[in-house]
Amino acid sequence: MLDEDLWRHVQYDPVRMLGEVEPARLDELAEDVSFLARLDAAAADLDQYLSRPRWYQNQQTKGVSLGGGIAYFSMEFGVSEVLPNYSGGLGILAGDHLKAASDLGLPLIGVGLLYRSGYFRQSLTADGWQAEHYPAYDPQGLPLRLLTESGPDAGSAAPILVHVAVPGGRVLRARVWIAQVGRVPLLLLDSDIAENDAEMRGVTDRLYGGDQDHRIKQEILAGIGGVRAVRAYTQAHGLPDPVVFHMNEGHAGFLGLERIRELVTGEGLAFDEALATVRAGTVFTTHTPVPAGIDRFPADLVRHYFGGDNAENESSLLPGLTMDRIIGLGSEPDPSVFNMAHMGLRLGQRANGVSALHGIVSRDMFRPLWPGFDADEVPIGSVTNGVHAPTWAAPEWLDLATRILGPELVEEAKGWERLQELSADELWSTRNALRAKLVEEVRRRVRASWIERGATSAELGWTDEVFDPGVLTVGFARRVPTYKRLTLMLRDPDRLRALLLDENRPVQLVVAGKSHPADDGGKALIQQIVRFADAADVRHRIVFLPDYDMSMARYLYWGCDVWLNNPLRPLEACGTSGMKSALNGGLNLSIRDGWWDEMFDGENGWAIPTADGVVEETRRDDLEASALYELLERAVLPRFYDRGPDGLPVRWVEMVRHTLQNLGPKVLASRMVRDYAVQYYAPAAESARTVAADSYAGARELAEFRHRVEAAWPSVAVLQVDGEGLPDTPEIGANLVLRAHIRLGALSVEDVTVQAVIGKTDLDEELSDIVTVPMTHDGSDGATELFVADTALPLSGSVGYTVRVLPRHRLLVDPSELGLVAVPGV
């Protein structure tokens, strides 16, 4: 209402808008009763949103109590396109996490870095090669305010500076900007200040830029400086300190070291007592399904930044901590490498992957950290990612949801499934309107991209005919690492061309994505797509749109009928883009990887068959590309174009209806954050309170237990196991009695739990489908302890059993937590 043309010109940036709108226009609106009424209503709506009790406030008496709240650390946050502090899915997820936490009323603080040039802006050269541009963003022109010594309303009060020591007696300083994400403050550290030298000013220059030395400085600032920023923020605002610290990936893992330092130097705890305290209140989320995706630094580089050449030296950056203990937290079999994910797992008592399948992959990938345990016993769970409906759902859907549900339920993303109550006509007309809106945006962006590549307006008349509002529209947009297989659709160019140009049932395909600036292989894939899409015969049916970001993504999620995802299974940890499409009634056409593996039900889209057993990559790609073409030709296109007498594709609309009903509630960030709150945050908060009570008595007890058990464990042994009642052909329910003689050495019966492990046996006598049964103590002969299990067989067929001993303590979350187990013969 201020100025519609200017609003588009400033790319929907409200801060820039207010700076550029003509004062005369503001004077005019100050007399406009209608405008003022809408302004008052918007302000009242915001006030109500910020003050009304939410889900968390209503849950505190039902076992979800977070005390001082959560500090959520991430290297990137995709909150809005006007705060370009993200590169892709990790950042968008982090932004959605904050927004959903605000909607639910969780007491959460976000922590990250402010990058002066963001990630990068992408354009194409004349020959289709990716070019990168790094605009300099002025924090004064962004929706940010400084954290100052006297609070946020202190006018010209001095900004609070965070200090972190670096080698050579220097100090890395950073001021703290606050982005207010609803109820949630996001703290962003900025090193580009006059108090730093040129090298230190450049620490927060770009996201994921520079070499490993640059990267470790960023991660030190994010982790150690981030904790200090949180302390400064809570002190300035008179708030309690967070009790739970959530590491969104291993990048911010150094936060755990800073918290240990605080306890060692401030509370007088020994290192292991401080570690037990930190672990209790730390949640670690891993996002990578491959070891190559993990941050790994040279151990000597870590020593350079944290201490001297002697590994026994006390750290100069973290007084009270010795280098051998710091290095030990990130150790892996190669002693020259420091592994950030390993540190995250050792610092976090609770850990998770980001989909059910990714949890399985993560347990297998990190299994070496828990030797002696099966992969399914590794203590890494999963919370499937979700997306923030008010951010990603089209205004048309939000208006319809508000009509059906009312504004409050829409705000908290409840009841999304009730959109399926809409008539077939209304569902289809909404999908048509959103596709038409996408077509308009595609034409605008294609024209702008060609002009940027050197074309003139006179030769671009054809762009007015790019895409057709009535044609099935498929979207593929994401980062461009090799495993996402951007060019799988081009395996058979002639077959793709035939699909695009079919006279009766054509397809139109919109592609977007950025390759990391250092990844020439990814850039070559983009160029391959661009060159195909540049061809005069198909350029009206396939486009590559440069500079994929949140503002473009919305149009794609709104307007695409089908969302395509074809990663190399199981290398997609979650992949939330298809969730955003589903929120808008889009149907997924995807490899069963990430979230789609658990949520595909046969009626909400299509699963591309995978050639999992084929090792040769080229053949696997050929087979899966052929399966993709086959699905399009035989399933997707007929369902879209087969129309009833009224012109409605009835079977397609029913799939849209089912998607809204079935996937709507499952893909929401509000569901994800509730899962974190109930399954991770509340238990972590309780553990943290327990170990810290009575001057950290629990932490001291747990550290002493761990020392004692680790010292005594080599002498723990399962000496003899006797079984009675196992028939030659075991049947479910048959009675089995097991007796085990256990040597505990210096440990007591109360220090351990003894389990019978029963499972199916293979030719190598390995157990699978195992069931564990607790064994009870049944006496002692002085040297050994007798444990007995009397149980009904849970399995039939070829059955075997063994016995194992595990540490037991009331403050351990999982029996496998310490990575200690004793079995017969070991």
Side-chain angles (χ1 to χ4, degrees), residues 582 588 595-596 599 604 658-667:
N588 277 266
W595 74 279
W596 190 236
M599 295 190 191
N604 51 17
H658 179 76
T659 293
L660 293 170
Q661 180 181 21
N662 174 264
L663 286 181
K666 295 178 182 177
V667 302

Side-chain angles (χ1 to χ4, degrees), residues 368-644:
L369 293 181
W370 286 270
F373 291 91
D374 289 337
D376 59 3
E377 296 179 300
V378 169
I380 299 175
S382 66
V383 173
T384 302
N385 286 342
V387 298
H388 187 245
T391 297
W392 300 111
E396 289 84 347
W397 291 119
L398 291 171
D399 290 345
L400 289 169
T402 301
R403 190 184 81 196
I404 296 171
L405 304 170
E408 289 189 12
L409 288 180
V410 171
E411 198 174 84
E412 294 187 23
K414 292 180 180 176
W416 197 256
E417 65 276 13
R418 287 188 56 194
L419 282 172
Q420 59 90 25
E421 297 173 12
L422 295 167
S423 69
D425 279 336
E426 198 159 15
L427 285 172
W428 184 237
S429 65
T430 302
R431 288 294 320 141
N432 286 336
L434 293 173
R435 191 184 316 107
K437 187 180 285 190
L438 171 61
V439 168
E440 218 177 283
E441 182 70 3
V442 164
R443 290 172 179 172
R444 184 186 72 79
R445 286 181 179 267
V446 167
R447 183 179 180 84
S449 176
W450 275 84
I451 288 173
E452 196 170 30
R453 294 171 67 187
T456 63
S457 296
E459 59 187 300
L460 293 178
W462 61 271
T463 59
D464 295 337
E465 305 300 322
V466 167
F467 275 29
D468 182 328
V471 168
L472 174 74
T473 304
V474 178
F476 183 99
R478 49 194 32 87
R479 289 183 304 110
V480 191
T482 306
Y483 78 88
K484 290 182 184 281
R485 297 193 294 185
L486 174 72
T487 56
L488 189 70
M489 62 189 78
L490 290 182
R491 295 299 291 186
D492 187 339
D494 291 336
R495 197 167 178 184
L496 176 59
R497 185 175 278 104
L499 283 165
L500 296 171
L501 300 178
D502 188 286
E503 290 186 10
N504 299 313
R505 293 176 169 177
V507 173
Q508 56 196 17
L509 183 58
V510 55
V511 185
K514 292 179 176 180
S515 175
H516 189 281
D519 182 9
D520 282 349
K523 293 179 187 180
L525 296 179
I526 290 174
Q527 186 179 49
Q528 190 179 341
I529 286 280
V530 172
R531 287 179 170 174
F532 181 88
D534 280 353
D537 61 332
V538 296
R539 64 189 183 187
H540 64 300
R541 285 281 188 261
I542 179 171
V543 298
F544 181 89
L545 302 182
D547 208 25
Y548 180 48
D549 68 356
M550 291 178 72
S551 62
M552 179 200 296
R554 285 192 181 89
Y555 285 96
L556 302 183
Y557 301 140
W558 296 348
C560 287
D561 300 291
V562 172
W563 197 259
L564 175 62
N565 190 25
N566 47 232
L568 195 63
R569 188 180 192 272
L571 302 184
E572 183 82 272
C574 184
T576 57
S577 59
M579 292 180 166
K580 296 161 193 154
S581 179
L583 268 185
N584 290 282
L587 306 181
N588 277 266
L589 173 61
S590 176
I591 296 286
R592 288 194 65 165
D593 201 2
W595 74 279
W596 190 236
D597 184 67
E598 67 195 83
M599 295 190 191
F600 167 68
D601 67 4
E603 297 296 327
N604 51 17
W606 297 269
I608 303 170
T610 54
D612 290 340
V614 177
V615 177
E616 207 274 305
E617 271 188 35
T618 301
R619 175 160 169 72
R620 179 169 178 171
D621 286 352
D622 286 340
L623 290 170
E624 295 184 2
S626 180
L628 166 60
Y629 298 138
E630 190 87 5
L631 267 176
L632 280 167
E633 292 163 350
R634 295 182 179 272
V636 180
L637 287 162
R639 187 156 292 201
F640 182 84
Y641 285 109
D642 287 351
R643 308 292 167 93

Side-chain angles (χ1 to χ4, degrees), residues 181-454:
V181 185
R183 293 167 169 243
V184 171
L186 169 57
L187 312 182
L188 297 171
L189 282 74
D190 171 19
S191 71
D192 189 11
I193 56 177
E195 291 83 352
N196 284 327
D197 61 31
E199 180 189 347
M200 296 299 107
R201 292 187 75 155
V203 168
T204 56
D205 56 355
R206 298 175 181 177
L207 174 60
Y208 303 143
D211 57 15
Q212 284 197 306
D213 182 74
H214 187 263
R215 185 72 172 265
I216 198 171
K217 286 200 288 280
Q218 287 190 333
E219 297 192 5
I220 287 170
L221 181 60
I224 296 172
V227 172
R228 295 174 185 178
V230 169
R231 305 304 188 208
Y233 177 84
T234 55
Q235 183 177 356
H237 290 76
L239 297 171
D241 283 322
V243 66
V244 175
F245 284 73
H246 184 175
M247 291 185 264
N248 189 41
E249 252 308 333
H251 309 126
F254 293 129
L255 73 86
L257 298 181
E258 168 64 5
R259 293 178 61 216
I260 291 172
R261 181 204 63 79
E262 291 177 328
L263 293 165
V264 170
T265 60
E267 302 293 335
L269 299 187
F271 181 94
D272 288 307
E273 296 165 350
L275 175 61
T277 306
V278 168
R279 277 178 49 78
T282 299
V283 175
F284 172 68
T285 297
T286 175
H287 288 263
T288 179
V290 290
I294 295 170
D295 268 353
R296 300 165 78 235
F297 292 112
D300 286 344
L301 186 64
V302 177
R303 290 189 180 93
H304 172 70
Y305 276 96
F306 283 85
D309 296 330
N310 185 338
E312 300 299 325
N313 280 356
E314 181 176 292
S315 169
S316 56
L317 172 54
L318 299 171
L321 278 64
T322 57
M323 281 306 305
D324 61 331
R325 297 308 303 264
I326 293 173
I327 294 294
L329 288 171
S331 67
E332 58 175 64
D334 182 349
S336 69
V337 174
F338 186 90
N339 188 307
M340 295 296 286
H342 287 192
M343 179 169 66
L345 289 165
R346 290 179 175 125
L347 288 170
Q349 197 171 27
R350 291 166 177 84
N352 69 282
V354 291
S355 69
L357 178 59
H358 181 234
I360 294 170
V361 171
S362 297
R363 288 189 286 276
D364 186 62
M365 183 168 74
F366 292 112
R367 180 181 176 184
L369 293 181
W370 286 270
F373 291 91
D374 289 337
D376 59 3
E377 296 179 300
V378 169
I380 299 175
S382 66
V383 173
T384 302
N385 286 342
V387 298
H388 187 245
T391 297
W392 300 111
E396 289 84 347
W397 291 119
L398 291 171
D399 290 345
L400 289 169
T402 301
R403 190 184 81 196
I404 296 171
L405 304 170
E408 289 189 12
L409 288 180
V410 171
E411 198 174 84
E412 294 187 23
K414 292 180 180 176
W416 197 256
E417 65 276 13
R418 287 188 56 194
L419 282 172
Q420 59 90 25
E421 297 173 12
L422 295 167
S423 69
D425 279 336
E426 198 159 15
L427 285 172
W428 184 237
S429 65
T430 302
R431 288 294 320 141
N432 286 336
L434 293 173
R435 191 184 316 107
K437 187 180 285 190
L438 171 61
V439 168
E440 218 177 283
E441 182 70 3
V442 164
R443 290 172 179 172
R444 184 186 72 79
R445 286 181 179 267
V446 167
R447 183 179 180 84
S449 176
W450 275 84
I451 288 173
E452 196 170 30
R453 294 171 67 187

Side-chain angles (χ1 to χ4, degrees), residues 666-709:
K666 295 178 182 177
V667 302
L668 296 175
S670 54
R671 185 273 310 153
M672 171 187 71
V673 173
R674 280 195 296 267
D675 287 350
Y676 273 112
V678 173
Q679 299 171 28
Y680 288 85
Y681 294 159
E686 179 60 28
S687 293
R689 286 190 291 267
T690 301
V691 299
D694 300 324
S695 300
Y696 300 95
R700 299 178 199 277
E701 176 190 332
L702 185 54
E704 186 277 331
F705 172 79
R706 186 166 188 166
H707 273 229
R708 187 161 51 83
V709 167

